[in-house]
Each structure stands twice: as C-alpha cells, then as structure tokens.
Amino acid sequence: MKTLFEQELKVVNVGLQSFAANIDAAGGNATHLSWSPPAGADAALGWTVANMIGEPMIEEANRTAYERYLAAQPRLTDFLLARDAIPALTERRVLHAGPPIAWEQMCGPQKGAICGAILYEGWTDTIEAAEKLAASGKVLMEPCHTYGAVGPMAGVISPSMPVWVVENAAAGNRAFCNVNEGLGKVLRFGANSGDVIDRLKWLGTEFFTTMQIAVRGLADANLKPLMGQALHMGDELHNRNSAASGLLFKRLTLALMDSKVDGAAAKRALTFVARNDHFFLNLSMAACKSMSDAAHGVAGSSMVTAMSRNGVNFGIRLSGTGDRWFEAPVNPVNGLYFPGYTVNDAAADLGDSAITETNGLGGFAMAASPAIVQFVGGIPADATENSRRMLSITLGSNPAFTLPALDFGGTPAGIDARLVVDSGILPIINTGIAHKKAGVGQIGAGITAAPMECFSKAIAALAAALHGASPPARAAS
Amino acid sequence: MKTLFEQELKVVNVGLQSFAANIDAAGGNATHLSWSPPAGADAALGWTVANMIGEPMIEEANRTAYERYLAAQPRLTDFLLARDAIPALTERRVLHAGPPIAWEQMCGPQKGAICGAILYEGWTDTIEAAEKLAASGKVLMEPCHTYGAVGPMAGVISPSMPVWVVENAAAGNRAFCNVNEGLGKVLRFGANSGDVIDRLKWLGTEFFTTMQIAVRGLADANLKPLMGQALHMGDELHNRNSAASGLLFKRLTLALMDSKVDGAAAKRALTFVARNDHFFLNLSMAACKSMSDAAHGVAGSSMVTAMSRNGVNFGIRLSGTGDRWFEAPVNPVNGLYFPGYTVNDAAADLGDSAITETNGLGGFAMAASPAIVQFVGGIPADATENSRRMLSITLGSNPAFTLPALDFGGTPAGIDARLVVDSGILPIINTGIAHKKAGVGQIGAGITAAPMECFSKAIAALAAALHGASPPARAAS
C-alpha cells in the first residue's frame, strides 16, 4: 500500500466524467472509461443478461445460428410477380415494412404508399376511394417479413408488383424484395401521383418481362462475392449502392445481349437501371433477408435476425424467439436534409432496410464507405469508428465482407442481443428520411440507432423461454 | 539559460537518428525529425534550388501552368486508327513508352512488343524477320509522348492500332492512348504469340468499328467527373480502375443500344470491356496526358508535365524546359509477385502510365484506394500516408479529384521539381511489373519512385535557361 502511494498515481475513472475532470484540474492524470451500467441500470435485467452471457446452451445456439448465417450463399434466381412468389398474395392483401401495424396507426408515407398500391392494382380508381377501402378493413395489411419479404421505406408490395427472388443456395430458403423505383417522387416514400403509378405499371409489365429474361439468363447469379467486391468500391450496401448497381448492370446487360429481347425494351430497361445508383439496394436487402432467415429459428439463440421500422415502432426478432416482434417507439434520425427541409418535416424512421445492418452492412460497414458521410453526415473517421464499435455487440465478423480501412477485417455481423443490453451500445443504422406527408418523397438521409427497449424486451422473452421465467433479481448492493 | 536547464529538456533531433537513440537510452526524451539535406547535400544544386524557390518569375509561370492543368476538361471525343489520329504514323514507324531509346538498348518486353506490332502490321511474317527488320533501322521508333500519345508498359502504338482520342475542351489539345488488351499474355508486356496478334487484329477491326460508333454516340463524353466519381469508389486510376471501367461500360452500353450496330458484334465488344477491370487505365492515361499537355510549355515553370520509363531510363519533362527529357536509370520496383516469380524475373520499371501520378492520380491518390494495397503491397494506412506525403512536393491539390479518406481534400497535383530537389521526397508511382523476357507478361505489381537525378538535372537546366547559367555555388560552410 505504501508503494502504491509513493509512485505516480494513474487513475482510471468509471462512471460520472466529472470525477475525472476534477482529478485533471488538480494536476493529476485520469483516464475516463466510457462505460454505463449494464441493462441501463435495471438490476433485474442486468442479472438476467449477466446469467445469459457464457450460458452454454445460448453459446451453442448462437454458434449454430451464426454458422448458418456465414454459410448462406444468396443467389438471384428469379424475378417474379409477387403473387407468383408469395402464394398468400393472391387475395386483396398488401405487405408493408416493419412490425405489424393497423391502418389507423400508420404514418403518412406508409398510408400514401398503400393507397398507391391499391390504385396500381386497380382496386379503386381514385386516391380518396383507396383511402376509404384501406380504412374499411377490406384490404389485408401484413408485414413483408411475415412472408420472407422485405421492402425499403414504406416497403409496400402488392400482388402485381414484381419482386426479386433471392435463394440461399446453402439452405434453400428464399427471400423477396420489390424493385427500386429511383429517387424523387416514388411509392416507397409515400408518393402516389399519376406518374408514380405509371412508372410502377411499366415496372410491372415491359420492365418485368425484360428483366425476368435477364435474371434467368445470368451467367453468374451469386450475390455474395458481388457484395464483397462492392464493399471494396465504397458501398456500404444500404445508403450507398453505386458500385454494386454498376456490377449488376454489367451482368444484366450481358445476359440481355444473349437473349432475343426486343432492343428498344432492353434499352429502356437498362437505361432505367443505369440511371439509378440505388438500384442494387433492394437486391442487397433480399440477399440479407435470405442470410438472416438462414440463422432464424435456433432455439435459445440471442442472435438478432430482423430489425425493422414501420414509421411508428422499431421491431426486432431474435433467432431463438420465433416470429415474435419486440417493439419500441422509433428513435429520431440524425441526418442531413435536402435544401428547404428540416427535422420538422421528417417522418419517423421507416423501412425494412435495417436488414442490411442486421447482416453487418449499412451502418456496420461504414468503414467501407467514407464517401457515405457526404450523404448521411459526419466525417470519414466517424465511419471507421462506427464499424469498430459495432464489433463489440456482434458474434463475429463476416470474412466474405471485408473492410479495407480496417486492414481487411470482416464487417461486424450477427448482433447478439445480450451484448447490446449488457454494453448499452446500440446498433447503428444508416437510413433515408421520408417527408411525413404522403407524396412528398425523400427529404434527407442520416444515422439512427435501434432503441434499447427492443433488446431489453427480447432478452427478457428469451430468458423466459429458456427458464420458464426470468431468474429472480438479486439485491443491487 | 539557467531556466532552460532547470526545466525538463525536450530534444528535437535532426540528421543522424542514432543521436536521438542515445538520448532515449539515457532516459531523455528526443523527437527525431525525418530530414535530409536539400539537393542530396549537393551544395551548388542546393543553392540553385534555394534561389529558385519563391523566385517571382517561376512562381508566376507555375501559377499559369497549374491553372491550365486545373482548367483542363478531358472529353472522350473519338476512337480512331492511330494513323488517322497521328499524321506522322502513316510511315513505317512505331511509338513506344518512355524517353527516346535505340533498339539495341531496349529491354526484352519493349523489343517483344515492337516485334509484335511489326507482325500485326504485316511488315514481316515471322518474329525472327521482325527482329531483323527492327534491328535494321528501317522501322522508325519514337516516344509516344512526342506525338501527344501515351501507352502503358511497352506502350507500343503502330499505325493500324486504334487509339482513344481525348480532347481537352478548355484548350483544344488532343491526347491519344491505345486499347487495354486485358491481363495475361498481352503486347504491352512484350508477348507476341499468335493469340496476342489475333486479339490485336480483332481490336483493330470489329471492336474498332463497334466502339467507334459507341464513342461517337456517347451521351456524356466528359471524363473528369467520371474519374472523380471513381476515386470515391476505390480506384486510384492507375493500378486500380474497376469502378471507372464499370462507369464507362454503362455509358458505352447505352450508346451502343441507341445505335444500329450488329447485336453479336456489340455483345463481343461489351463482353471484352466487362471482363477487364483495367479497361479504363488507357483512358485515364489519355485524359491525364491531355491535362498535363495543357500545362506544358510555360517558360520558367518548374511543374513536371511528364514522367515516363522505357525499361532502362526514367525520364521527366518540365513545363518550362520544352520537349527535353531529363533521364536517369530506373529504380527497382518494390512489389508483390504472382506465384512462381521473384524480383530476379522482373524487367525494370516500364511505361508511360506514370502520367497518372504526374496528374495527382495513381500513387498520389492511394488514399482513395485502400484495397490497392492487396495488389501493390503495404497496409491501408500506407496508402493514406503516401497521398499526404505527396502534398509536400506539389503545387496544390486538385478539387476535381477528392479523397474521402483525407476528409475530401483534393489529390496532390502538379509536381514542382524544385520541391522534389529541395525536400528529397520522390514522387511515388504504382506500377505493374513485366517479366524481363519478352512474351511472358505481367508477373506482379508494386510501388516505385522517380529517381532524384531526373529532377536534379531538370532543375539545373531550368536554372540555366532562366539565368544563362547556374548561379555560382557559395561555400558550404
């Protein structure tokens, strides 16, 4: 003890930062450790999660789930009308982004997109009639995730819309996503004017038949190597997809040139793809959904297999808790707004696209994409730091998705809900921002985080499933 | 003085690093400054360059040259046979990379490529006869640079080869480069077997007529914005051109789809482009040549407007010293070799492609391209450090070519020969490595530096041109 006080003291401060500041002010040397109590200082939950970390059955389940995720080999195998890909969609039914939500609770852009889909399907002739029909309960509305599908922003998929079909060759499971319409006034941001519907109709007819031939004629349908390559070309495959869209364009072009497709139709289809640097987003999402679904359904696993937002609530699913959603109100988006718009115009966080972060892409792979900060805000060093930080809440890193800026380490992947609750570190998500009014479209992009409450609820549910009930909390002292 | 010795000493050591090591060993605290005497401790040259730095006439000339470089707007305006682009090429004449060199002095790959060109042109029927013809002096051999052209590696351009025509819209000057043949056995690495010549013949006929239609039908012929975009997608536009090649592929495809070109020919041409991630290199080089040439010929300017290698000597040109080359033996390449090859198999540094570094790309833009280190060696942090270091020998940075990893600062551009001589910092160059025997092809890639002697000679010549002769050296003491 005497020796301790004779040498120069080196202080590590944990907790309130002002204690370290006082030591510094007195001429001492204190290092502040960024730390907060586990489980947001909820003692019961803290004990629950502490008991779950290292628990052999959970560790084993997570290994299984994570290996299935890593083994997944997403392939773009087909391009189908949604009703042919998803048998349940033959009725008067639409799918939407996020966890389940009733029409009355939906945000503006999601209502706008559903009305647009009703018009597109020809179930009514006017938007007013579409709103009435939607409110009448005669159109079934269910999450995309319920049927192995995903959709960006409002994420609306109706029976006559074409969907990409991505099959995980390792396990045979299939995932679906609609077609990216481009930027500006588009259905996914709630726009439903005549030009939006006309574009959807072209996408569902000439573009559909042309692209179906291209997809079926692809010389290389593997998406994982293409995505890995795009990460070395500045994409993070959520808000930046320029490189992947270009790589896909090459493959589609060569496939079409091998076909008997009418030249003018091929030109229109390829021009549409060439002009949209976000075109690959929807394929990235379908590929991610197929990889996450491969890891889903392992009893006891705390691995997150879905994160999604419906504009009101953020929902997550764990591999070990089946199809149950754990929800909390969405967090605001910290972003850059297009000229003329502010945070007051913004809809809340929306869309299934957080499936990319669930798979180690998007916000988790920002180190791949320093240029993304021009779109979502921040500086390039933040991008790298975000990827590093996510490593502390994931089961590992994905060797198929490497990050040059992190000396070619893999992207952090396989979010472990236990580690989120224990560390207080929230999954970071890159996202677009929709105007809160239907029909205006995208007004910005930025960064947000999944709410802690989703993970707390999920951990409590997983503990209950494993032990019948949470273990009793010990006294905090 | 007393106060100085009473406080803790902080030592900055300049010169021999061992002095700092001794202080550290004795428990002191020394910071070593990486510094070497100006002009390699050549006192006369040191005074010459010291007198030139800040000299108003040189500063003014450099401003003019640099502004012309920045103002250049390279556009891909045509695709022509070399004899139609370069009138002097109607005779029995071939162009080659680097400064002038006689047949007898040429390295293996350059001889091999010239013999291949003789076969391609049909001037002889066998390689043996081609060698005899080349040695007879009946084929004129001149540098590409003499005619506004550039070529990678051996850089051989003969009259019937097609060349990209890039025009600087700001000043009207044109630059030319041949077509990238892909990797493996190709003419630019000295290969000249039957398949190499057959490929050249296809490139000069069906590919030529198809691509000429595509180039003439481009909706957007501007190369500078495309190159800036590619820098945000992991290219440095010398050894990595994946993104730029993809962006060009899109433009060529859409132009061809608008044309009446035969579908099968278009497919073959586009497939060739799609399969070669280095395809854009030759366009990057032509664009760079057009920008450098815009800055060339300003009396008094110490800006470097060409750096090039013929496999024996490295040559540079300054804007202010006309078409004179300043040469020195090429430096070895520090690189990664393909399996089965070592430095003993390597030809010396070769090619006009250092025109990219002359324009702030390639080694100067490595911060854009962390993934390049997998190809040329090193770690991603080296890539960023290389770009930073080059800022100390350039006239500025190019706002059209920004680097996300350097917080979107421009690439270091406009090498000032004065600063190279004064600082001892050499321009860094990313390069391919050819086998020393003609016909084997590429065996690796790596990093090298321009030799100091080129810059010392250039500075002495510029001083002589400005003052009639170098100022007398002062005593070194």
Side-chain angles (χ1 to χ4, degrees), chain B residues 145 148-150 175 285-294 317 355 359:
Chain B
H145 271 287
V150 278
M285 288 174 59
C288 286
K289 175 66 175 160
S290 80
M291 295 189 284
S292 276
D293 274 1
R317 282 176 169 177
I355 194 71
N359 281 267

Side-chain angles (χ1 to χ4, degrees), chain B residues 14-184:
Chain B
V14 179
L16 290 177
Q17 192 151 11
S18 55
F19 283 84
N22 287 339
I23 294 169
D24 281 338
N29 185 358
T31 299
H32 181 69
L33 182 70
S34 177
W35 179 87
S36 56
D42 174 333
L45 185 65
W47 280 113
T48 300
V49 78
N51 287 328
M52 290 168 87
I53 290 175
E55 209 277 323
M57 191 253 179
I58 302 178
E59 297 294 331
E60 177 62 27
N62 282 346
R63 256 193 303 278
T64 301
Y66 191 61
E67 275 165 17
R68 287 180 189 168
Y69 158 72
L70 288 184
Q73 288 296 343
R75 289 170 56 82
L76 175 57
T77 53
D78 213 340
F79 191 49
L80 295 171
L81 294 183
R83 61 170 171 260
D84 296 321
I86 303 165
L89 266 187
T90 49
E91 307 159 51
R92 198 167 276 202
R93 191 189 302 246
V94 296
L95 307 183
H96 63 77
I101 186 168
W103 168 261
E104 296 72 31
Q105 269 74 54
M106 283 183 184
C107 67
Q110 205 164 41
K111 282 185 171 173
I114 285 178
C115 290
I118 289 171
L119 276 191
Y120 166 74
E121 294 291 340
W123 298 337
T124 70
D125 289 332
T126 66
I127 288 292
E128 294 69 31
E131 279 173 359
K132 268 190 200 146
L133 182 66
S136 73
K138 287 181 185 152
V139 177
L140 282 170
M141 301 171 195
E142 293 181 90
C144 292
H145 271 287
T146 304
Y147 296 99
V150 278
M153 300 309 292
V156 168
I157 300 177
S158 64
S160 311
M161 289 182 188
V163 292
W164 305 107
V165 180
V166 172
E167 185 172 323
N168 165 19
N173 59 300
R174 298 199 306 171
F176 315 102
C177 189
N178 51 10
V179 176
N180 196 289
E181 312 153 76
L183 286 177

